[in-house]
Amino acid sequence: MRILSCLIDQHDYFLTGLAALICVLGSWVTLRLFEKLRGSAVGARMTWTFLGAISGGATIWCTHFVAMLAYQPGAETTYAPVLTGVSLAVAVVGVGAALIIGTRRTRAAAVAGGVVFGLTTAAMHYTGMAAFTADALISWHAAYVAASVLAAAAGGALTFDLARRGLKGRRWAMVPGSMVLTIVALHFTGMGALDVVPLAPLDGAATGETARGLLAAAVASVAFLILSVALASQALEDQTRKIAQKRLSLLIEGSVDGMLVEGDEGVLIVNAAFAELCGAPASAVVGRRVSDWVDQAEDMLGGALVQSELKAADGTVIPVEVAVRRERRDDGVAGDARIFAVRDLRARLAQERRIAHLARNDSLTGLPNRASFLEKLERQAAVSEPGRRFALLAMDLDRFKEINDIYGHAVGDQVLVHVAGQMKEAVREGEFVARLGGDEFVAIVPIDDRIEAFEAAERLRAAALTPMQAEHAELQCGASIGIAVWPDDATEPSVLINDADLAMYRAKASLTDDICFYEGAMDEAVRERRRITQGLREALDHERFELHYQVQASLETGKVTGFEALLRWPQADGKFISPADFIPIAEETGLILQIGEWVLRRACAEAAAWKEPHKIAVNLSPVQLSHTDLPRLVHQVLLESGLSPSRLELEITETAMISDLTRTTHVLRQLKGLGVSIAMDDFGTGYSSLSTLRAFPFDKIKLDRSFMSEVDASPQSRAIIRAVLALGESLDIPVLAEGVETSGQLAFLREQGCNEAQGYLLGRPGRDTQAAAGADVLIIPAGMLESEAA
């Protein structure tokens, strides 16, 4: 009743309302600054603390003294200026301390800051009341003083605890109201503790009008100060918020990933990419929790990429990758903000699945590739069950190269896809078919006996034979299939593959069988060819070849005219592999080009070192002759070795010219232009076409050795030799006979007017070329030839 009586009977209502208005406005401004301070960065905290201290202290002080202006105790009142100023300083410093303590993160700190705020309000009030003097007797009731201090402390604690949670929602009005009630409760409870008994006026005291004028000026100044602080803080807040929102909007909207900013109250900002990803408008996302959309979002820590799932608005589950970053909020709201970057993984996962598929499957046909086949074969071979067998089928398409050459590679690819599709339909459960590359396919078929393997091969071959319509024509491929059975033919996967390949090559070479089983004896020849091919490569790399020389002599004078360079391939056991065995393989594999270049360089280099300028004859393969850069190579070798072109004789066979007479003739003319001699080798065994002799002016004809071996027993051979010698004489082309091994053969050639001879009778091939170094060495004494002919 004392408090109500004091409020109703002893206060001017207008000034009391003005005090209340100042208190409400100042409380709202102070709490807004409190919220801004809690969310500010470290560098800005001092500024916001200063502004909050000025605003809060001025609010308390202004409310107090406007209310004191409204107080009418019935006697003249005055206020001591010094204590009045001290009360304002107490209010500003105390509120600043309360803000510093109360803006810490814990609830206890907020409550402690509120208690300091309440005690500061009480201290300011009673310091200001100490400045109050009146022409009256003044007394205080201690119980009411204590009650006012406790009310201020409790109200301050409640206010700061509520403000810690922000000013959103109902707290926008509740928190400032709590502060207003704290200040009002302190003031009017404290005023209720005061008893004023009027007396006669005090000498020298200021009049009431003078006091009111001073207080009015002070209140006006403080009011302007509060307004200035409010406007300044609002401007700073708006500017800070706009800059932050602009920066954040540019960052978020410029990202191709979905971006969200989540605070304690839910999603604050969301970009268009996330809204599109979840299939909902941005307004439907703002205010909700990220965990409503992204699975386990609440448990995600900052600094790590997490794979999760997003639940779209239509119920679709989308795989996503989420990155989280924690940031202090700079919008004046307490608490941290979490920035989520959400990336749609559907395209990447699809690409990864495609890459994984391509790593194990053929990109053209979709069949398993070589890697998948090898893995499957290893698994099949690793299963150890008694009596378990399976067949490996190696398949190669027939006539596929013709389709590529005639219709183009695009149609060839269509044929491969068609064949692969037919094979997919033809395979049965438990069988496996793959494409190794090109037109090569393989299949793994579980079997009980070889008959089942043959039936599976026939089934797959029939699938490959299925015709296809393309380019207005019906296209059809055949298939050659080789079969190797595990474990009958091999107990190692690599050996099994090799065996199936050997059987397939045999089927491809056969005119009657399209399907062949592996047979060790029959496929040994292919195995031998592979060994020779590998050996040729190693011999080239390590220069294990040798050149042997066989003498050529004039039958008229018996003197040496030259040497033929013959290639020899020695083995580790001292034996030699016949050129008839390895030269055809070298021509098939293309190694003959490197071998021929090595022979040409070595022969010219060694011949250049001979004392006598004998000729050196070097054989050319048809493969070498087909290359148009052969004249360039010969010219380069002659320059490097220093050998005179007139001493080099290149031997070619007639079959080398028949394949492309025009181009070969052009190459030979270029060689002849270098000053090199050209000889036709093995004459009489090929076409022996007179048009060939007419097309190019050869420098020598070499009669094949097969005629000399039959000269004693075959009249036909003797007739052919006479005809060739007569042809050479009429065309003015010297003739050299090969394979001379007996004195009778030599006498016959001399009798028929043959120019030169070469054979074992004159000298076997060998590395010793000392005969070439001697001058005028007579290999065949003329007198002996005459006596034997007689």
Side-chain angles (χ1 to χ4, degrees):
M1 293 303 295
R2 286 178 62 87
I3 297 171
L4 291 176
S5 176
C6 175
L7 174 63
I8 296 172
D9 298 335
Q10 295 180 329
H11 282 79
D12 179 87
Y13 291 163
F14 175 77
L15 292 179
T16 302
L18 179 61
L21 178 62
I22 293 173
C23 185
V24 171
L25 176 62
S27 297
W28 185 83
V29 171
T30 301
L31 289 171
R32 288 288 295 170
L33 293 172
F34 174 84
E35 187 178 44
K36 175 65 71 175
L37 179 58
R38 281 180 56 83
S40 66
V42 176
R45 291 181 69 85
M46 188 63 70
T47 301
W48 293 117
T49 302
F50 173 76
L51 292 175
I54 293 295
S55 175
T59 297
I60 299 171
W61 187 86
C62 183
T63 301
H64 169 76
F65 279 99
V66 171
M68 288 305 297
L69 281 174
Y71 182 56
Q72 298 174 346
E76 290 294 332
T77 60
T78 60
Y79 297 89
V82 175
L83 287 177
T84 301
V86 170
S87 67
L88 177 59
V90 169
V92 171
V93 173
V95 171
L99 291 176
I100 293 174
I101 297 171
T103 52
R104 297 183 182 277
R105 288 294 177 183
T106 64
R107 182 179 183 183
V111 171
V115 170
V116 172
F117 176 83
L119 295 177
T120 297
T121 306
M124 186 281 307
H125 176 81
Y126 289 107
T127 301
M129 290 306 297
F132 173 78
T133 58
D135 188 10
L137 295 176
I138 300 174
S139 61
W140 296 88
H141 289 268
Y144 282 91
V145 173
S148 67
V149 174
L150 290 175
L158 176 63
T159 299
F160 272 50
D161 186 39
L162 292 174
R164 180 180 63 87
R165 308 171 195 173
L167 299 180
K168 300 295 184 181
R170 292 180 298 175
R171 291 192 296 275
W172 182 87
M174 184 186 302
V175 179
S178 175
M179 179 175 281
V180 170
L181 288 176
T182 299
I183 297 172
V184 170
L186 179 280
H187 177 81
F188 288 103
T189 303
M191 293 305 294
L194 180 66
D195 282 333
V196 179
V197 179
L199 297 174
L202 298 175
D203 294 336
T207 64
E209 291 300 325
T210 303
R212 288 175 182 275
L214 292 173
L215 286 176
V219 169
S221 300
V222 172
F224 281 118
L225 179 62
I226 293 175
L227 182 60
S228 299
V229 170
L231 291 176
S233 63
Q234 189 67 38
L236 286 172
E237 181 185 15
D238 290 344
Q239 183 179 9
T240 303
R241 185 185 297 274
K242 288 178 181 178
I243 293 174
Q245 287 182 346
K246 183 177 181 180
R247 184 173 66 247
L248 194 57
S249 296
L250 289 174
L251 173 66
I252 289 179
E253 290 299 337
S255 174
V256 296
D257 296 330
M259 300 287 291
L260 306 96
V261 178
E262 182 186 47
D264 294 336
E265 59 275 25
V267 174
L268 303 174
I269 304 175
V270 61
N271 69 349
F274 184 84
E276 182 180 355
L277 183 62
C278 62
S283 58
V285 181
V286 174
R288 296 176 62 179
R289 309 301 303 181
V290 178
S291 56
D292 294 342
W293 304 96
V294 180
D295 190 32
Q296 299 179 343
E298 295 292 345
D299 301 329
M300 295 179 184
L301 302 177
L305 289 174
V306 180
Q307 288 198 4
S308 183
E309 292 181 342
L310 181 142
K311 294 168 286 188
D314 60 358
T316 304
V317 177
I318 302 172
V320 293
E321 186 177 62
V322 184
V324 184
R325 180 178 176 182
R326 290 186 178 272
E327 291 285 345
R328 288 294 304 274
R329 293 174 61 176
D330 58 358
D331 57 359
V333 181
D336 288 341
R338 292 200 299 168
I339 302 175
F340 289 82
V342 183
R343 176 170 297 174
D344 187 355
L345 291 182
R346 286 177 294 184
R348 193 177 84 182
L349 292 177
Q351 187 68 14
E352 288 176 355
R353 288 192 295 269
R354 173 171 172 77
I355 292 173
H357 177 80
L358 291 177
R360 300 180 56 82
N361 294 271
D362 177 51
S363 59
L364 177 63
T365 63
L367 288 177
N369 61 8
R370 181 182 294 273
S372 296
F373 158 68
L374 293 175
E375 183 179 335
K376 175 72 172 179
L377 183 60
E378 290 286 349
R379 289 200 306 267
Q380 289 284 99
V383 177
S384 56
E385 295 179 2
R388 186 175 181 277
R389 306 166 75 193
F390 66 87
L392 176 61
L393 280 60
M395 298 172 282
D396 191 87
L397 299 184
D398 299 330
R399 301 184 300 277
F400 178 72
K401 185 177 183 304
E402 298 176 10
I403 293 176
N404 263 342
D405 293 342
I406 296 173
Y407 298 99
H409 289 281
V411 175
D413 289 345
Q414 295 178 28
V415 171
L416 290 175
V417 172
H418 169 74
V419 171
Q422 295 298 318
M423 286 186 177
K424 284 181 185 178
E425 296 179 1
V427 295
R428 297 175 180 174
E429 184 178 357
E431 298 178 349
F432 176 88
V433 64
R435 180 189 177 214
L436 300 186
D439 59 347
E440 298 179 38
F441 296 83
V442 291
I444 299 175
V445 180
I447 60 170
D448 292 325
D449 52 42
R450 296 169 75 89
I451 295 177
E452 290 184 1
F454 188 81
E455 291 174 351
E458 284 189 322
R459 177 165 28 93
L460 291 175
R461 181 175 177 273
L465 284 170
T466 305
M468 182 193 80
Q469 293 293 329
E471 297 292 325
H472 308 291
E474 185 176 85
L475 304 180
Q476 184 182 40
C477 282
S480 299
I481 302 178
I483 305 173
V485 178
W486 177 282
D488 300 1
D489 298 325
T491 56
E492 292 290 335
S494 59
V495 178
L496 188 71
I497 295 172
N498 190 57
D499 292 346
D501 281 344
L502 293 175
M504 183 269 291
Y505 286 125
R506 186 156 47 83
K508 203 166 186 66
S510 175
L511 298 177
T512 57
D513 297 325
D514 296 309
I515 301 173
C516 291
F517 281 90
Y518 171 75
E519 297 178 15
M522 297 184 67
D523 294 319
E524 186 59 35
V526 178
R527 206 182 294 271
E528 179 64 22
R529 290 173 65 86
R530 293 183 177 179
R531 282 197 293 265
I532 290 177
T533 301
Q534 182 62 29
L536 286 173
R537 291 192 174 95
E538 294 178 358
L540 270 172
D541 293 339
H542 300 90
E543 295 192 3
R544 294 174 182 165
F545 293 111
E546 293 180 358
L547 283 185
H548 289 199
Y549 298 93
Q550 188 172 28
V551 67
Q552 297 174 341
S554 170
L555 294 184
E556 181 178 357
T557 63
K559 293 183 179 181
V560 174
T561 58
F563 291 86
E564 181 179 5
L566 302 175
L567 181 63
R568 295 294 183 261
W569 183 15
Q571 301 301 298
D573 58 2
K575 297 181 180 179
F576 291 86
I577 296 180
S578 172
D581 294 331
F582 71 81
I583 290 297
I585 297 176
E587 290 179 336
E588 291 177 8
T589 58
L591 293 173
I592 192 65
L593 294 175
Q594 301 174 56
I595 294 174
E597 182 177 345
W598 182 88
V599 170
L600 183 63
R601 291 183 182 278
R602 179 61 61 87
C604 290
E606 293 186 355
W610 293 346
K611 294 181 179 180
E612 289 294 323
H614 298 304
K615 277 197 171 187
I616 179 70
V618 178
N619 290 279
L620 290 181
S621 165
V623 178
Q624 291 176 274
L625 198 60
S626 65
H627 280 252
T628 55
D629 64 342
L630 179 62
R632 181 195 58 79
L633 173 63
V634 173
H635 184 247
Q636 180 182 359
V637 170
L638 290 173
L639 292 176
E640 292 176 356
S641 63
L643 184 70
S644 172
S646 61
R647 293 181 57 194
L648 177 62
E649 183 175 270
L650 299 177
E651 299 182 359
I652 66 168
T653 60
E654 188 177 16
T655 53
M657 297 188 63
I658 294 300
S659 58
D660 191 343
L661 184 60
T662 302
R663 183 176 62 178
T664 304
T665 303
H666 176 69
V667 171
L668 291 178
R669 292 188 184 279
Q670 288 181 298
L671 291 172
K672 200 169 179 62
L674 296 174
V676 175
S677 301
I678 306 297
M680 180 180 286
D681 197 12
D682 300 336
F683 188 80
T685 59
Y687 297 93
S688 300
S689 172
L690 298 181
S691 61
T692 305
L693 294 176
R694 183 185 62 180
F696 183 80
F698 288 94
D699 297 295
K700 185 182 293 185
I701 295 175
K702 295 190 70 175
L703 187 63
D704 189 70
R705 68 180 64 251
S706 60
F707 296 103
M708 298 309 303
S709 62
E710 300 176 358
V711 70
D712 295 328
S714 174
Q716 291 84 0
S717 294
R718 291 195 296 271
I720 292 174
I721 293 173
R722 293 190 187 99
V724 172
L725 294 174
L727 179 63
E729 184 179 0
S730 61
L731 294 176
D732 197 20
I733 301 177
V735 177
L736 183 146
E738 296 181 296
V740 179
E741 299 181 359
T742 66
S743 300
Q745 295 171 350
L746 186 64
F748 174 75
L749 291 174
R750 183 176 175 81
E751 178 184 351
Q752 300 301 322
C754 184
N755 304 99
E756 296 179 68
Q758 175 181 340
Y760 287 169
L761 179 65
L762 307 181
R764 290 180 174 271
R767 288 289 301 152
D768 185 13
T769 58
Q770 291 300 316
D776 299 329
V777 177
L778 295 178
I779 301 300
I780 311 166
M784 181 188 71
L785 289 176
E786 292 176 357
S787 61
E788 288 185 358

